[in-house]
Amino acid sequence: MADQQEVNLPPKYDPTTVEKGRYQYWVDGKFFEAERNPKKDPFTIVIPPPNVTGKLHIGHAWDTTLQDIITRIKRMQGYDVLYLPGMDHAGIATQAKVEEKLREEGVSRYDLGREKFLEKAWDWKEEYASFIREQWSKLGLGLDYSRERFTLDQGLSDAVKEVFVKLYEKDLIYRGEYIINWDPQTKTALSDIEVIYKDVQGYFYHMRYPLADGSGHIEIATTRPETMLGDTAVAVHPEDERYKHLIGKKVKLPIVGREIEIVADDYVDREFGSGAVKITPAHDPNDFEIGNRHNLARILVMNEDGTMNENAGKYQGMDRFECRKQIVNDLQEQGVLFEIEEHMHSVGHSERSGAVVEPYLSTQWFVNMQPLADAALELQKNSDEKVHFVPARFEKTYLRWMENIRDWCISRQLWWGHRIPAWYHKETGEVYVGKKAPEDIENWEQDTDVLDTWFSSALWPFSTLNWPDTEDEDFKHFFPTNALVTGYDIIFFWVARMIFQSKEFTNERPFKDVLIHGLVRDAEGRKMSKSLGNGVDPMEVIEKYGADSLRYFLSTGSSPGQDLRFQWEKVESTWNFVNKIWNASRFALMNMNGLKFEEIDLTGKKSVADQWILTRLNETIEQVTRHVDKYDFGEAGRYLYNFIWDDFCDWYIEMAKLPLYGDDEAAKLTTRSILAHVLDQTMRMLHPFMPFVTEEIWQQLPHEGESIVRASWPVAQQELSNHEASDIMQQLVAIIRSVRNIRAEVDTPLSKEIPIYIQANDPEGKANMEENRVYLDRFCNPSELVIDTTVEVPEKGMSAVVTGAEIFLPLEGLIDIDKELARLQAELEKLDKEVERVDKKLSNEGFVKKAPEQVVEAEKAKQQDYMEKREKVKSRMNELKG
C-alpha cells in the first residue's frame, strides 16, 4: 500500500521573486503554482513556528496536522487559502544548543566574539531548518513555501524594530532596575510565564537578630538564609503591639555585623510566623517594593551564574546552595539559628534549563502591560471583533490572565536574537532608541541584550504578511488571519501576546478563531518529558505506520481542548483502517472495467442497496461538513469511519457483488458508477485527514483534474437520497445481523442452511422484504425463508426483534432454553435502560423546549420503538417459559 510517497524537498523560495498575483505551494510531493484570485474569500493560517533546535515534537505534529486539515478543507471549499510556514529563532534554546556544540569543540562564545558566534548560530539555523522542512514534508503539510518566514528575517526584524520604537515613544516600553526572574544557568532574565513552579521539600530557618543596643533580639524566619547577607532592614506591621516600641531601632545583622533598621510596613502579615520579616530588596520582589517605600539600599550578593559576589564577604565565589549550607553551620555555631523547620514550598524553575530561578535585581527593559491588556480585554466585549476560543471555556483562562497582568520583562542577556534597538552615549549616558543607529555612531554603544523570543513571535500573524507595509497585497488580502491552532499550554506565552500586539498595531484581532488542543500524554496519562523518557518522535511513528495513520490518530483521537493519550495500539488500529480503505478501493477499481469519468451514470435503475448507500453518503457529507466547520474533527472522523468501515466496506461492497457478478449489464454500469461516485466523494472528505492514500486512490479513479488537492469539497446531492429505501435497507441489515448473531451464539456456521421465519409488522413491511429477499437469501443462507405478517412460531427456537419485524429460527437440538432465556433477559434489561433514558430525556422540560422539533420527534420515535421491542421480548420469554 502506497501510504506515503517519496518527496524531494522544495527549494527555499525568496518571496520577493514571486510574481505578484501568483502563489506556490508544495503538497504531497508535488509543487503547484497557481493564480491568486483576490475575488475569492481568503482563508489564512500561519503555522505556529517551531524553534530551530532540532526535531518537531509530537505536540507540533498535532498543531500542524489540524492546521493542514483545515486548510485542505477550505481550499476544496473554494477559498483562496494561504498556509504560511515559518520558524522561530528561539533565543535561549538555540543559543544553549550552539554553546553546547562549541563546548564540545573546546571553545566558548566569548572566545569567538559576538559576530563569529552569530555566524555559528546561523549555520545551526540553516542545518536544522532543513530538518524541519523535511519533517513538514513527511507529515504531508500543504505549505506555501514561497512565503516561508523566519523570525530573524530582515522583514520580521524591521517589524520588531517598528514595534519596539513605537511602544517606547508611547512610554509603553521603559528601562529600569527591578527584581526579575534570573536563570543562573543560561545567565539571562526570564518572563513570569517562563518560570515553572514545583513543590520542593525545603526548610524554614528561624533566627534571632540581636538589637543593636543590646536590649534583646527579634525573631525572623527565611527559606533562603544566603540572602541575609544582602538584608537592609527588618519589617513589622505598624499595628503589631509586640513590635511598636522597636520601630525605628536597629538590629545588628549576624555574620556581616552591619546595622539595619526596623521599619513598619502594611505588607507584613502579623499572623504569619513571628510577625517580623527580613528585607532583602535586591533578591525578593516584595522586599524590593518595601525597599522602595522606605528608601532602602539594594545590596546584590550574587553573581549572574549563581555564585556569591564580593558583597558576600568570606563566602565570595561559593555556589549559592553551598553558601546556604555554610551559613547555616556558621549561624548555628553563633547561636543565631535556633530552629530548622521542614517546609514544603513552591520553587520557580527555568522552563528552558530547569535551573532554580533566582529573584535578582537587574536593569532590564519592560513593557508596560496595563494599557495593552485593557485594549485587548475591550476587544473581547464585541462578538463581531473578538477572538473566538474553541472550546469557549479557554476564553476565561485568557481573560483571567490578562486581568491580572504584570509588566513584561523583554530583555534577555543573549547574543542570538533581535538586538535591542537602543544606544547609550559613551560620555553622557544619554539613551537613544530608533530603528536606525545614531548618525555619529562612534560616540554610541548599542545595548548588548536581545529581545525575548516571544516579542517577535507576538507579531507573527501580521509581520509574516509584510507589515508594517499596510499597502502590501498579502497584508491587505490575508490579514486578519482566520484561524490559529495551538495547545492550551501557550495561551499566555503566545496567544495573549499576539492578541494585544495585533490590537495595538493593526487595531484588529490577529485571527478570528483560535482552536485549542490539549497536550499529548503517554499511555498512562503522564506528560511527556526527557526525564521520564516517554516522548514520542512523530517521524518514528511515520516510519512505522505512515503519515496518514499518524494524522488521523492525532486529529480524531480527542475532542477540542482535551489531552490526547498516545497509544501505539491506537495508531496501529488507524493503520488497519487505512488498509481497509486501500483494500476496498482495490476491489472497486478492479471491477470498474476501465470506466471513464464521463461514463459515470447515476440516473439508471437502482437497487435498494444503491439508494441506501447514496442516502448514507449524503448524510455523511452533511455531518462531516457540519463538524469540520466547527473544528470538531473527532466527530467528523467518527462519521467517516462508520460510513467507510460499516456501510461501504462491510455492507455495500458485499451487496454490490450481486450485480457485478450477474448478467444484467445495466445493473453493472449503475453499480460501477455508484462505486466510483461514492469512493470519489469519500476520498475527498477523507483527503484532509489522509492526504497520501487518498491521492493515490483518487488518481486511479475516474476523475477530472490534476490532483485531489484541487478537487471540490463534496456537497450533498439530495436528488440522490431516498430515505424510504434507506429505512428498508437498514431493516434488511438488522435482520441479517440478527441471524448471524444467533448462528454465532449456537455455533451454527453460515455455510449450514437453516429455516428462517420472519414475521413482518404489516403488509407493507412484508412486501418490502419480499422484494429484496435476494439479500436475505444471499447473506442468511436459509434452507427455507418464510416472510409473512403471521408466521407459525417454532416451539423451540431462537428469536430476535428488529424494527418492524420478528425473526424466528427453529433450532431444536441446537439450543439451550435456559441460555436463550438468559439472553432475552439481558436484551430486556438493555431495552429497559434505553426506555428509561428516553423517558428521562422527554420528561426534561428544558430539553423539550430548547431542542429542535425534529430532535424531539426523533426521541419520541425511539421511545415508541424501544417499547415495542421490549414488549415483544417479554412475549417471547413467556412463550419459552411455557
Side-chain angles (χ1 to χ4, degrees):
M1 185 193 71
D3 180 47
Q4 185 177 343
Q5 305 170 17
E6 288 292 323
V7 294
N8 295 314
L9 289 175
K12 172 69 169 67
Y13 289 98
D14 180 354
T16 61
T17 67
V18 179
E19 183 185 342
K20 283 291 185 183
R22 299 188 67 78
Y23 66 104
Q24 302 159 326
Y25 57 96
W26 188 263
V27 184
D28 305 339
K30 295 181 181 180
F31 176 70
F32 292 98
E33 186 169 56
E35 297 283 343
R36 281 211 184 279
N37 186 352
K39 292 181 181 179
K40 286 184 180 180
D41 290 336
F43 190 92
T44 324
I45 286 181
V46 288
I47 201 166
N51 63 59
V52 287
T53 55
K55 298 177 180 178
L56 298 179
H57 56 74
I58 193 74
H60 194 83
W62 195 3
D63 281 343
T64 52
T65 293
L66 293 176
Q67 289 177 345
D68 191 60
I69 288 171
I70 295 168
T71 53
R72 287 176 185 270
I73 291 168
K74 292 302 178 182
R75 189 180 292 118
M76 296 174 81
Q77 289 177 339
Y79 288 85
D80 184 17
V81 172
L82 173 61
Y83 188 16
L84 189 149
M87 300 174 209
D88 193 329
H89 66 279
I92 295 175
T94 303
Q95 179 154 324
K97 291 283 187 181
V98 176
E99 288 197 76
E100 181 182 342
K101 186 177 179 182
L102 290 174
R103 279 196 297 274
E104 293 172 1
E105 299 171 3
V107 295
S108 73
R109 62 168 160 147
Y110 302 103
D111 296 328
L112 294 177
R114 188 166 193 140
E115 287 188 15
K116 291 290 184 184
F117 174 80
L118 290 178
E119 287 177 12
K120 295 283 187 182
W122 276 103
D123 289 343
W124 173 283
K125 179 265 175 183
E126 291 304 324
E127 179 182 358
Y128 282 91
S130 66
F131 294 161
I132 290 168
R133 289 191 201 104
E134 182 179 2
Q135 292 168 337
W136 280 340
S137 185
K138 287 183 176 179
L139 276 167
L141 306 186
L143 295 162
D144 185 347
Y145 280 101
S146 70
R147 282 162 172 75
E148 181 186 325
R149 306 309 296 267
F150 179 57
T151 46
L152 291 179
D153 283 349
Q154 185 61 52
L156 273 69
S157 295
D158 290 344
V160 167
K161 290 175 186 175
E162 178 85 8
V163 167
F164 187 96
V165 171
K166 285 190 174 180
L167 290 176
Y168 180 80
E169 289 172 349
K170 294 177 71 172
D171 293 328
L172 292 175
I173 281 184
Y174 63 93
R175 186 169 184 254
E177 192 176 53
Y178 284 88
I179 294 288
I180 48 89
N181 302 301
W182 185 263
D183 182 341
Q185 184 168 319
T186 59
K187 290 187 280 191
T188 186
L190 303 172
S191 66
D192 289 344
I193 54 177
E194 290 173 303
V195 178
I196 298 171
Y197 287 90
K198 302 176 184 178
D199 286 338
V200 174
Q201 178 63 62
Y203 301 92
F204 256 137
Y205 299 91
H206 295 267
M207 295 180 276
R208 298 186 181 97
Y209 282 12
L211 293 168
D213 61 8
S215 62
H217 61 262
I218 191 167
E219 292 182 7
I220 61 96
T222 181
T223 58
R224 301 162 66 219
E226 67 278 9
T227 64
M228 68 174 290
L229 302 172
D231 285 1
T232 54
V234 170
V236 297
H237 194 278
E239 302 301 322
D240 193 331
E241 295 295 336
R242 295 171 295 176
Y243 302 119
K244 273 187 175 182
H245 66 290
L246 295 179
I247 295 171
K249 288 192 173 186
K250 294 186 176 181
V251 297
K252 184 174 282 190
L253 187 60
I255 295 179
V256 179
R258 184 174 66 248
E259 290 189 359
I260 58 177
E261 189 176 352
I262 299 173
V263 300
D265 198 280
D266 290 333
Y267 169 78
V268 179
D269 182 356
R270 284 179 280 183
E271 307 302 321
F272 184 75
S274 67
V277 293
K278 61 189 281 299
I279 304 301
T280 320
H283 288 277
D284 183 277
N286 297 312
D287 292 4
F288 178 83
E289 297 297 336
I290 293 172
N292 284 349
R293 289 194 287 273
H294 298 277
N295 199 29
L296 299 176
R298 301 165 183 165
I299 301 175
L300 198 62
V301 298
M302 288 184 202
N303 297 310
E304 292 181 350
D305 62 357
T307 58
M308 308 307 289
N309 66 15
E310 65 279 3
N311 291 326
K314 67 178 183 179
Y315 306 103
Q316 182 177 358
M318 295 180 69
D319 174 79
R320 54 184 167 157
F321 298 119
E322 284 302 314
C323 176
R324 179 180 299 178
K325 292 177 184 176
Q326 189 58 53
I327 281 184
V328 167
N329 289 334
D330 292 348
L331 291 170
Q332 285 176 317
E333 287 181 9
Q334 293 180 17
V336 173
L337 177 60
F338 65 91
E339 183 184 358
I340 301 176
E341 175 190 359
E342 286 192 354
H343 174 60
M344 183 69 73
H345 62 140
S346 185
V347 176
H349 291 70
S350 169
E351 188 254 349
R352 295 293 183 186
S353 70
V356 173
V357 169
E358 189 66 41
Y360 196 75
L361 181 68
S362 179
T363 300
Q364 302 285 344
W365 289 90
F366 295 84
V367 175
N368 177 6
M369 282 302 306
Q370 199 60 57
L372 297 170
D374 289 344
L377 289 168
E378 192 65 29
L379 179 73
Q380 292 303 105
K381 295 177 181 178
N382 187 322
S383 60
D384 293 329
E385 297 179 1
K386 69 185 289 188
V387 173
H388 298 272
F389 284 78
V390 181
R393 68 178 183 273
F394 285 105
E395 182 176 6
K396 293 180 181 177
T397 304
Y398 161 74
L399 293 176
R400 191 161 51 245
W401 187 71
M402 293 293 278
E403 287 164 355
N404 296 282
I405 200 75
R406 291 177 60 181
D407 284 0
W408 173 17
C409 176
I410 56 171
S411 44
R412 297 291 181 269
Q413 289 63 55
L414 305 170
W415 289 353
W416 176 244
H418 294 97
R419 195 164 176 181
I420 291 174
W423 288 259
Y424 310 105
H425 197 279
K426 293 177 181 178
E427 294 181 2
T428 66
E430 177 189 352
V431 179
Y432 165 80
V433 171
K435 288 183 281 186
K436 295 181 180 179
E439 291 184 5
D440 53 335
I441 187 62
E442 65 278 0
N443 296 319
W444 296 82
E445 186 174 3
Q446 187 174 359
D447 197 308
T448 57
D449 289 352
V450 300
L451 289 164
D452 178 10
T453 298
W454 295 106
F455 191 91
S456 53
S457 296
L459 316 181
W460 191 249
F462 53 94
S463 64
T464 53
L465 295 172
N466 305 317
W467 184 93
D469 181 3
T470 55
E471 293 303 311
D472 179 83
E473 180 184 321
D474 279 358
F475 180 79
K476 289 195 294 184
H477 190 49
F478 290 112
F479 186 81
T481 61
N482 295 81
L484 170 76
V485 180
T486 193
Y488 60 63
D489 55 328
I490 58 172
I491 290 176
F492 310 139
F493 281 100
W494 193 39
V495 178
R497 287 170 173 165
M498 285 189 285
I499 293 173
F500 68 68
Q501 291 287 46
S502 180
K503 175 60 180 172
E504 173 68 19
F505 289 98
T506 72
N507 202 34
E508 294 191 73
R509 60 190 173 190
F511 26 76
K512 178 176 177 286
D513 300 325
V514 53
L515 173 60
I516 301 292
H517 63 70
L519 302 177
V520 184
R521 298 185 179 274
D522 68 10
E524 298 175 31
R526 299 174 302 176
K527 188 174 179 179
M528 291 183 177
S529 69
K530 288 181 181 178
S531 60
L532 290 174
N534 61 347
V536 174
D537 181 354
M539 297 304 114
E540 182 185 341
V541 183
I542 290 173
E543 185 69 27
K544 190 169 184 179
Y545 290 114
D548 288 336
S549 299
L550 175 63
R551 287 170 61 109
Y552 192 82
F553 166 72
L554 289 173
S555 57
T556 64
S558 74
S559 56
Q562 299 299 313
D563 289 347
L564 172 68
R565 290 195 180 195
F566 184 90
Q567 295 172 292
W568 283 102
E569 314 87 76
K570 289 189 176 181
V571 182
E572 185 176 3
S573 175
T574 300
W575 182 74
N576 290 333
F577 179 42
V578 177
N579 277 282
K580 182 89 168 179
I581 295 164
W582 181 258
N583 291 330
S585 301
R586 284 183 62 195
F587 166 81
L589 290 164
M590 285 191 306
N591 285 279
M592 295 261 172
N593 282 23
L595 183 72
K596 302 285 193 301
F597 178 79
E598 58 273 14
E599 295 172 343
I600 294 174
D601 183 8
L602 302 177
T603 62
K605 185 179 178 181
K606 304 178 189 68
S607 69
V608 69
D610 295 336
Q611 295 173 80
W612 166 72
I613 199 66
L614 291 172
T615 304
R616 286 290 300 121
L617 174 65
N618 275 341
E619 291 169 350
T620 303
I621 289 171
E622 289 174 341
Q623 290 295 338
V624 170
T625 303
R626 183 168 72 88
H627 285 292
V628 297
D629 282 348
K630 61 180 185 178
Y631 308 118
D632 195 346
F633 301 113
E635 275 298 288
R638 185 175 66 83
Y639 276 99
L640 273 171
Y641 182 95
N642 291 341
F643 175 75
I644 294 168
W645 192 291
D646 297 338
D647 298 339
F648 186 68
C649 295
D650 285 357
W651 290 103
Y652 183 71
I653 282 182
E654 292 303 312
M655 292 175 172
K657 291 176 182 178
L658 297 176
L660 287 174
Y661 300 158
D663 299 324
D664 188 333
E665 292 302 319
K668 285 183 181 180
L669 176 59
T670 298
T671 303
R672 287 171 184 150
S673 296
I674 290 172
L675 280 170
H677 174 71
V678 172
L679 260 179
D680 170 88
Q681 298 291 287
T682 304
M683 290 305 101
R684 294 183 193 218
M685 284 187 285
L686 193 61
H687 170 70
F689 298 87
M690 299 181 180
F692 292 105
V693 72
T694 53
E695 180 75 65
E696 187 73 18
I697 292 169
W698 193 81
Q699 290 291 344
Q700 297 178 52
L701 284 168
H703 69 274
E704 279 187 327
E706 181 182 9
S707 168
I708 195 172
V709 172
R710 294 180 173 180
S712 60
W713 181 256
V715 176
Q717 301 176 52
Q718 296 304 335
E719 68 275 12
L720 296 178
S721 288
N722 186 323
H723 294 288
E724 183 180 350
S726 182
D727 290 342
I728 293 169
M729 189 68 219
Q730 287 179 30
Q731 184 186 53
L732 294 172
V733 167
I735 291 170
I736 295 165
R737 277 185 173 144
S738 296
V739 171
R740 288 177 173 178
N741 289 340
I742 292 172
R743 281 178 172 273
E745 283 187 42
V746 295
D747 198 23
T748 302
L750 191 59
S751 59
K752 180 177 181 178
E753 294 182 344
I754 57 172
I756 299 172
Y757 302 92
I758 302 175
Q759 182 169 291
N761 284 8
D762 51 54
E764 184 182 358
K766 173 190 171 183
N768 289 333
M769 282 183 268
E770 285 286 5
E771 188 177 347
N772 295 286
R773 68 181 294 148
V774 61
Y775 299 114
L776 299 175
D777 286 331
R778 170 67 180 80
F779 298 108
C780 293
N781 194 22
S783 58
E784 175 188 15
L785 177 60
V786 176
I787 303 171
D788 210 333
T789 53
T790 304
V791 298
E792 186 176 340
V793 179
E795 185 176 340
K796 288 187 178 181
M798 297 190 73
S799 66
V801 179
V802 299
T803 301
E806 289 181 82
I807 306 155
F808 304 100
L809 277 67
L811 298 173
E812 189 169 357
L814 298 176
I815 182 174
D816 184 317
I817 299 295
D818 291 336
K819 283 186 177 180
E820 173 62 359
L821 282 170
R823 186 187 70 81
L824 288 170
Q825 179 62 37
E827 189 172 347
L828 178 63
E829 290 172 2
K830 180 181 175 182
L831 289 168
D832 281 340
K833 288 180 181 177
E834 292 294 344
V835 171
E836 181 183 357
R837 182 186 63 79
V838 177
D839 285 347
K840 190 178 293 184
K841 207 168 190 180
L842 291 172
S843 63
N844 183 336
E845 289 186 14
F847 168 75
V848 175
K849 287 180 180 178
K850 294 178 182 178
E853 184 179 348
Q854 64 269 27
V855 173
V856 176
E857 290 304 317
E859 291 298 320
K860 288 180 179 178
K862 285 181 188 177
Q863 182 187 48
Q864 183 65 29
D865 185 40
Y866 292 142
M867 290 174 69
E868 288 177 3
K869 288 178 180 177
R870 183 171 65 176
E871 289 308 310
K872 288 176 181 177
V873 168
K874 286 181 179 178
S875 175
R876 182 60 180 152
M877 290 178 72
N878 290 334
E879 290 171 7
L880 287 176
K881 289 175 182 177

